[in-house]
Amino acid sequence: MINLLDDGDGTFIVLMNAEGQYSLWPERVAVPNGWGMVHPVDTRQNCFSFIEAEWTDMRPASIRQ
């Protein structure tokens, strides 16, 4: 079995849920319910860089408030 998240040549998007948590997601896999795209199709590394820059507080939003 191949892990799509390990594909260094694949294309990805970044998702975020209602709690403000981010996820790297393979572009060719349907977005799951409860998640929305916050960064368009890009390279794996660029998506990781976006997540690193944006997700500075890893606590769920319900705990931060």
Side-chain angles (χ1 to χ4, degrees):
M1 178 189 269
I2 298 172
N3 184 341
L4 295 176
L5 293 175
D6 290 335
D7 184 0
D9 296 323
T11 51
F12 297 86
I13 58 176
V14 177
L15 305 179
M16 187 172 70
N17 66 16
E19 287 288 343
Q21 298 166 312
Y22 289 80
S23 179
L24 176 70
W25 200 254
E27 178 231 353
R28 62 184 178 169
V29 177
V31 173
N33 290 336
W35 293 82
M37 186 173 62
V38 294
H39 184 75
V41 176
D42 208 337
T43 65
R44 184 173 183 260
Q45 183 56 52
N46 285 347
C47 286
F48 272 134
S49 294
F50 175 83
I51 292 170
E52 184 176 62
E54 295 294 317
W55 198 7
T56 57
D57 187 343
M58 308 240 353
R59 296 175 298 161
S62 59
I63 292 175
R64 287 192 306 253
Q65 297 173 356

